Amino acid sequence: MLFKTIEEIKQFLAVGAGTDFNRLKPHIQNAETAYLRPMLGIGLFKELQDFYDSPSETPMIGQNILFGELLSLVQRTLIHLTYWSGFQVLNATISDGGFKRTETEKVKSLFKYQEVELKEYFKTTGFNGLDEILFYLEMEIKKSEAESVNFKSFVDSDAWTILKSSFIPDTNTFNSNIFINHSRLTFLRLKSPMQLVEDLDIKPILGETIFKEIKTELAKIDPAAKVTVILPYIQKAIAYLATALLMEESGADLTEKGLYFESTDAYNDLTTNKQPAESDRINFLAKRNKGIGQNYLEQLKSYLNANATDWPTYCGQTGNLLRRTNTDKKSFWAC
């Protein structure tokens, strides 16, 4: 476990001196198991745990610095996810007499709206912290020299392969195509629609051979130049088509809760109203994004046709099927 005392936690969250660490311990373990271990992979998490337990035993100064920076990011993220995932239990007293909330004359429980906002803060900060960890790892890996790769255990893990072989691997990449306020929660909500677009739109256009080639290259630290160049065409199509699907399914405005619009109260500029979007607005935005996504698919086809030397196995066309006559000849299209 990556925390041992309340004093360590105070570096990242202003908790009271009387906080019982033993109450937090199971929730810390739950958050590690649910979020940190799967994301970092077994190898890197073990190395980080070993560094935390005995930092002086890390053999290289450079590695010591890298693991120290990573540990700080992980601990900050972990404690926020701990308080979010364990919020209801930590906010109650469990005894043989049942479940109770504590309230004295000097200390009152939070109002309901305060509880909701506080829990939302823990969740948003924690999940966005996961993206910060991934960004840090990727940047340090890119700085690596061929003979000495930073965080090699992560590069060799399934966690890295799954991450890097995705057309849109992280929140920041998605946000550069469509603004989602850098929200990892929104990005996670879009994972399923993105996979659908990959399977039903991107793969049929690219064909099995090109699709596998691009995926293989993306998993490398330095993908081939032709893959780097074609990637934006694919990413834009996926981003717009995936958001259209999400809107159709849930009325989402690119938040994890659905499509909401904010307005300022006419009588009080400090009051912000947030309410679900109307169905007509949802339909309009979904249709708009779907149309933009289809246009990007056509651009992808055009690019592949224009760069046949890079992608010789591509067999396709832009727009409608090519018109041709078969008079006095026998011919067919084969891909």
Side-chain angles (χ1 to χ4, degrees):
M1 201 169 67
L2 298 176
F3 281 111
K4 292 177 182 176
T5 67
I6 290 296
E7 290 303 315
E8 289 178 295
I9 293 173
K10 284 183 180 180
Q11 299 176 58
F12 307 99
L13 196 63
V15 297
T19 303
D20 183 1
F21 182 78
N22 288 326
R23 284 198 71 202
L24 282 176
K25 186 175 179 179
H27 303 292
I28 294 173
Q29 291 172 326
N30 289 341
E32 284 184 353
T33 301
Y35 304 106
L36 273 305
R37 289 176 187 269
M39 190 182 78
L40 297 178
I42 296 173
L44 180 56
F45 189 88
K46 183 180 183 304
E47 289 179 356
L48 189 63
Q49 183 69 64
D50 291 342
F51 171 80
Y52 171 73
D53 292 335
S54 304
S56 60
E57 294 182 11
T58 304
M60 298 173 60
I61 295 177
Q63 288 288 80
N64 201 304
I65 294 172
L66 289 176
F67 274 95
E69 292 173 346
L70 177 61
L71 178 62
S72 180
L73 288 172
V74 168
Q75 286 181 318
R76 184 169 69 85
T77 299
L78 177 59
I79 196 58
H80 283 87
L81 290 174
T82 295
Y83 270 95
W84 169 67
S85 59
F87 190 87
Q88 299 299 341
V89 177
L90 291 170
N91 207 27
T93 300
I94 303 174
S95 67
D96 293 340
F99 301 89
K100 301 179 177 64
R101 65 186 180 93
T102 303
E103 183 171 297
T104 67
E105 292 184 0
K106 294 183 178 180
V107 181
K108 301 289 185 181
S109 297
L110 295 174
F111 291 111
K112 183 62 179 177
Y113 80 91
Q114 291 175 313
E115 283 191 3
V116 171
E117 290 180 356
L118 183 59
K119 189 175 181 182
E120 186 68 20
Y121 163 77
F122 288 139
K123 179 174 69 171
T124 301
T125 304
F127 276 94
N128 287 348
L130 295 176
D131 267 327
E132 290 182 46
I133 293 168
L134 290 174
F135 180 76
Y136 174 77
L137 288 170
E138 185 171 2
M139 290 300 100
E140 292 303 326
I141 289 168
K142 284 182 178 179
K143 294 177 186 176
S144 304
E145 298 178 359
E147 62 275 8
S148 179
V149 178
N150 294 331
F151 302 114
K152 190 174 186 305
S153 59
F154 183 64
V155 174
D156 293 337
S157 71
D158 290 339
W160 169 265
T161 302
I162 293 170
L163 173 70
K164 291 301 293 177
S165 62
S166 299
F167 288 121
I168 303 181
D170 52 45
T171 306
N172 288 333
T173 303
F174 197 103
N175 199 80
S176 67
N177 289 283
I178 296 181
F179 179 70
I180 56 172
N181 200 28
H182 294 279
S183 169
R184 181 171 179 81
L185 290 167
T186 301
F187 177 71
L188 292 175
R189 185 76 168 79
L190 284 158
K191 278 282 193 179
S192 179
M194 283 194 288
Q195 187 60 55
L196 279 175
V197 174
E198 276 194 30
D199 294 340
L200 302 180
D201 294 292
I202 302 301
K203 196 171 186 178
I205 289 175
L206 297 178
E208 189 73 29
T209 302
I210 294 177
F211 186 85
K212 286 184 177 179
E213 180 182 355
I214 293 176
K215 286 280 188 177
T216 301
E217 285 294 321
L218 288 176
K220 299 177 181 178
I221 295 176
D222 293 310
K226 68 175 186 177
V227 171
T228 303
V229 173
I230 199 175
L231 194 56
Y233 293 92
I234 299 172
Q235 289 175 338
K236 287 182 172 64
I238 291 176
Y240 277 96
L241 291 173
T243 52
L245 282 174
L246 183 58
M247 290 173 184
E248 290 172 343
E249 289 176 358
S250 64
D253 70 339
L254 314 185
T255 78
E256 77 280 5
K257 292 183 177 178
L259 184 53
Y260 283 74
F261 284 93
E262 290 187 358
S263 61
T264 302
D265 194 304
Y267 301 100
N268 185 354
D269 290 341
L270 297 178
T271 302
T272 300
N273 297 320
K274 209 171 190 180
Q275 50 191 322
E278 296 177 356
S279 59
D280 289 346
R281 180 63 174 167
I282 295 170
N283 293 335
F284 170 78
L285 290 173
K287 184 177 179 180
R288 167 187 173 273
N289 279 25
K290 184 181 291 185
I292 294 173
Q294 292 294 337
N295 287 335
Y296 277 122
L297 287 179
E298 291 302 319
Q299 287 188 17
L300 174 60
K301 295 175 187 177
S302 297
Y303 179 83
L304 287 163
N305 277 318
N307 294 271
T309 54
D310 285 337
W311 308 102
T313 59
Y314 175 67
C315 180
Q317 65 288 316
T318 60
N320 297 324
L321 291 172
L322 294 175
R323 296 179 180 178
R324 56 177 302 190
T325 176
N326 286 324
T327 305
D328 300 324
K329 66 182 80 169
K330 293 180 181 180
S331 61
F332 63 93
W333 292 101
C335 295

